[in-house]
Amino acid sequence: VAGIIASKNFGVAPAVNLYSIRIVEDTDAEWVWADDFVRGANWILSTYSDEQLGNEIDVVNMSFSVFNVTLTAINHSLSTMYDKGVSLVTSSGNEGTSNPLVDNMDTSLAKHPDTIAVGALTVTDERLERVDFSSTGPKVELSAPGHDIVSTNGIQGTYGKAGGTSQAAPYVTGAIAILKQQFPNKESVGATTD
C-alpha cells in the first residue's frame, strides 16, 4: 500500500512524507480491533500538525476493516480527524458480487459519512470495469486500479503483485496528497454523497 502511494519508482505521489502507523501486531491480520483503531487515530490527532515533530498529516489511507465499526469511539475519531482537515480514504472492501446494485459494505469504515470509499477496477478488453470482488453500495465514491497491482512487498528492493480495494485506495490517497501539496490552504478533501 505504501509503495502505491509513495514509491520513488512508480508511486502516485513519490514526493510526499509518509507515516506508517502500526495498529496491529499481526501483519497478516485482515481485521483491526476497534480499540487499536482508536489508538492509532488518537496518535494522528495528537501529532497531525505538530510543528515540533515536523508532522503534517493531511490524508490518511485506511486499507483495512475494523471490528465494531458502529462504535461511537470510531465514529468520533473519524469525524474529529475530518473536522481538523484530514482527508480520510478507505477501501470499500472485498465482499462484492457480480451484482453491482447490492450494498455489501456492512463491516467497512467506508460507510462513514466523512470517508472517501474506494472500489477496485481492472482492465477487461481495454476497458476499465469493476472487479467482481470489489464491494458495492451507494457510498462507493471513487474507483481506482485494484487488480494485479505491482508495488513494493515489504522485502527491501523487491516488488510483487496484489489485488483488492486495499490496493485501489492508495491511488486516491496519493492523488489527494498531490492536491493538498498544490493547494495547502484548502479545507479537507472529503466525502461527497449529496
Side-chain angles (χ1 to χ4, degrees):
V1 170
I4 298 167
I5 297 170
S7 166
K8 300 293 183 210
N9 293 327
F10 49 78
V12 175
V16 300
N17 293 324
L18 198 61
Y19 298 89
S20 176
I21 303 165
R22 176 173 271 185
I23 57 174
V24 294
E25 292 301 318
D26 179 2
T27 57
D28 291 327
E30 294 182 20
W31 292 88
V32 173
W33 292 100
D35 291 346
D36 295 328
F37 174 82
V38 171
R39 191 170 28 261
N42 286 340
W43 184 87
I44 292 168
L45 289 167
S46 68
T47 62
Y48 80 98
S49 64
D50 188 322
E51 292 179 18
Q52 288 181 323
L53 295 176
N55 293 347
E56 193 169 323
I57 299 173
D58 294 315
V59 59
V60 173
N61 185 85
M62 296 174 284
S63 289
F64 50 80
S65 294
V66 177
F67 280 120
N68 297 323
V69 170
T70 57
L71 287 179
T72 302
I74 289 177
N75 290 318
H76 176 74
S77 295
L78 291 168
S79 293
T80 302
M81 285 189 287
Y82 180 79
D83 290 346
K84 291 193 179 279
V86 178
S87 295
L88 306 168
V89 180
T90 184
S91 53
S92 67
N94 299 323
E95 304 299 324
T97 66
S98 59
N99 182 354
L101 302 177
V102 175
D103 183 352
N104 48 28
M105 297 190 331
D106 293 336
T107 59
S108 178
L109 293 169
K111 280 198 161 193
H112 191 277
D114 294 330
T115 63
I116 300 169
V118 181
L121 298 173
T122 189
V123 176
T124 305
D125 297 326
E126 298 184 21
R127 292 182 22 200
L128 285 174
E129 293 183 0
R130 181 185 67 87
V131 183
D132 281 348
F133 61 71
S134 182
S135 292
T136 55
K139 185 67 176 69
V140 177
E141 292 147 317
L142 296 170
S143 292
H147 184 256
D148 285 341
I149 303 302
V150 176
S151 184
T152 53
N153 68 3
I155 302 170
Q156 187 164 349
T158 63
Y159 304 95
K161 284 186 178 180
T165 58
S166 289
Q167 282 66 44
Y171 281 98
V172 174
T173 301
I176 292 172
I178 291 170
L179 284 171
K180 289 196 171 222
Q181 284 178 332
Q182 295 296 313
F183 305 101
N185 297 323
K186 295 292 182 184
E187 292 182 12
S188 177
V189 175
T192 57
T193 56
D194 297 335

